[in-house]
Amino acid sequence: MLKRILLFSFIVLYSFIGFSQLNISLLANLPFPAARGDLSDIWGHVDGAGNEYALVGMNGGVAIVDVSTPTAPVEVFYVSGAGSIWRDLKVWNDHAYITNETGGGLMIIDMSNLPGAITVGDVSTFSGTTYPFISAHDIFIDENGIAYVMGTKDTAGTALGTVMLDLTTNPLSPAELGSYTDFYLHDGMVRGDTLWGAAINDGFFTVVDVSNKSAPVTLQTQNTPNSFTHNCWISDDGQTLYTTDEVSNAFIGSYDVSNLANITELDRVQSSPGQNVIEHNTFFINDYLVTAYYRDGVVIHDVSNPSNMIEVGNYDTSPGFSGNGFNGAWGVYPYLPSGIIIASDIENGLFVLGPTNTPAAYLDGNITDSV
């Protein structure tokens, strides 16, 4: 009997580990029509009534899904757009701004009618005049309503750099403020007057003073562990930066950026070491990092000590895939007020997840011998 009990316990434990679920529970999975194509990035939104939404990019367009009842997500709007495997989304004041790498410029969705109906009449586009771009890889919007449109190109395919737009006066026709062209930024984020940019082709992150949008200044660069810097995110106190490299078997890196003249790498960590999975996007929230990994799902690290990042949660959205390859989780968004996590899986649709936010436990001290 003892052997049977032990064997049963081992099978249960093996199954748990095999599906890679730790401190994150599945609340819902919403697939989309196959005709819309594969999913890309994801972002979140809260309307004036407090309802929560997932904004989901896909090859054929953009879906808005009500996730206010996390176990029963409901699509409330879909609009088609230029076909593109890359689609990035951000929100400012009830407006969604969406980029793609094919054409059509910046898609803008006016969501101010939510929770009422949104129609195609609420969708418009913006392509600029001073910096007339028809495609872009990514977008970030800071706390002041300045959009940073990264990887822009014009009709001739000429790169225009990171174009900066003021969304505050007219959200449907932003004012063009300037462009940063020192390096191609694949992704990035801004806090105050500092742009932290992921210069993927150069293998480092950049620190850019954007206080003067018409004349941004590169202050510093810093190499990342695997020399293919995909994204970066700053801690709430502005002292620590976290990066991902979009290559097989790469590391999340943490850096002390309190002194830009002496940026110091603090730690690096892998999910599923030796399995060759590829990390994509990481986000900082309340001393945790929440990261989307291709073929490894959503992974949470406790970074309360950025010199010792510890994995405390994971959920594999695509257990049918493993190792190196671009399948599974593309994007993740951890900032909805309810605390749920929403994630976009390329093949399997929208995932609504419930994290337990379990902190790490570790010993910290000096090891000595018996003498």
Side-chain angles (χ1 to χ4, degrees):
M1 179 62 72
L2 177 59
K3 288 183 179 180
R4 290 184 178 181
I5 291 173
L6 289 174
L7 179 60
F8 175 75
S9 299
F10 174 77
I11 291 173
V12 171
L13 179 60
Y14 179 82
S15 298
F16 178 78
I17 295 173
F19 280 100
S20 186
Q21 299 174 21
L22 172 66
N23 293 325
I24 302 177
S25 59
L26 174 64
L27 302 178
N29 171 217
L30 179 66
F32 296 97
R36 298 181 184 177
D38 291 341
L39 270 63
S40 49
D41 216 345
I42 191 168
W43 204 247
H45 174 61
V46 181
D47 69 21
N51 299 300
E52 298 182 348
Y53 301 88
L55 280 62
V56 186
M58 52 196 78
N59 191 296
V62 179
I64 300 177
V65 181
D66 187 336
V67 294
S68 301
T69 302
T71 55
V74 178
E75 180 176 297
V76 296
F77 182 68
Y78 175 77
V79 61
S80 60
S84 176
I85 62 172
W86 290 284
R87 208 176 293 276
D88 194 75
L89 319 90
K90 297 296 187 294
V91 174
W92 173 258
N93 275 7
D94 293 327
H95 289 77
Y97 297 85
I98 302 103
T99 61
N100 75 83
E101 284 208 338
T102 302
L106 186 66
M107 177 188 285
I108 304 172
I109 305 176
D110 184 345
M111 302 184 293
S112 57
N113 286 333
L114 289 172
I118 303 177
T119 70
V120 293
D122 296 313
V123 181
S124 59
T125 58
F126 175 82
S127 297
T129 53
T130 306
Y131 308 97
F133 63 91
I134 66 162
S135 66
H137 180 77
D138 210 322
I139 182 171
F140 180 83
I141 304 174
D142 70 14
E143 68 274 17
N144 299 311
I146 307 299
Y148 299 79
V149 187
M150 302 171 214
T152 55
K153 291 183 179 179
D154 64 16
T155 54
T158 303
L160 301 173
T162 297
V163 175
M164 290 166 271
L165 308 173
D166 184 351
L167 310 178
T168 60
T169 303
N170 185 345
L172 302 181
S173 183
E176 298 166 79
L177 303 177
S179 177
Y180 173 75
T181 57
D182 286 4
F183 302 100
Y184 165 73
L185 300 185
H186 195 71
D187 203 332
M189 64 93 65
V190 181
R191 180 82 54 76
D193 289 327
T194 305
L195 164 62
W196 306 89
I200 191 168
N201 296 329
D202 298 283
F204 52 63
F205 68 81
T206 65
V207 188
V208 185
D209 181 349
V210 291
S211 55
N212 182 351
K213 305 295 188 293
S214 63
V217 178
T218 301
L219 302 176
Q220 191 59 272
T221 66
Q222 173 69 36
N223 292 335
T224 55
N226 298 86
S227 302
F228 205 63
T229 319
H230 179 267
N231 100 304
C232 48
W233 209 265
I234 196 75
S235 61
D236 289 347
D237 62 10
Q239 303 299 296
T240 310
L241 190 76
Y242 300 91
T243 64
T244 58
D245 287 299
E246 194 184 14
V247 293
S248 174
N249 219 33
F251 291 86
I252 295 173
S254 64
Y255 312 82
D256 182 345
V257 293
S258 59
N259 179 3
L260 294 182
N262 185 31
I263 296 175
T264 305
E265 183 180 338
L266 300 174
D267 194 19
R268 55 177 67 179
V269 66
Q270 292 174 303
S271 173
S272 303
Q275 298 301 308
N276 299 316
V277 295
I278 301 172
E279 59 194 25
H280 198 204
N281 294 313
T282 195
F283 301 94
F284 178 94
I285 179 170
N286 299 330
D287 286 333
Y288 292 96
L289 283 186
V290 182
T291 309
Y293 276 82
Y294 298 112
R295 297 192 172 192
D296 216 23
V298 175
V299 180
I300 300 177
H301 288 88
D302 181 337
V303 294
S304 54
N305 178 358
S307 298
N308 188 12
M309 298 184 286
I310 299 174
E311 184 173 331
V312 294
N314 55 63
Y315 186 92
D316 191 352
T317 60
S318 55
F321 294 103
S322 62
N324 185 21
F326 296 94
N327 306 94
W330 177 296
V332 63
Y333 182 83
Y335 299 115
L336 288 172
S338 64
I340 62 172
I341 291 173
I342 50 176
S344 54
D345 183 284
I346 295 171
E347 296 83 13
N348 297 320
L350 169 67
F351 281 76
V352 184
L353 305 172
T356 60
N357 295 325
T358 303
Y362 56 90
L363 296 176
D364 189 5
N366 297 318
I367 301 174
T368 59
D369 61 23
S370 60
V371 176

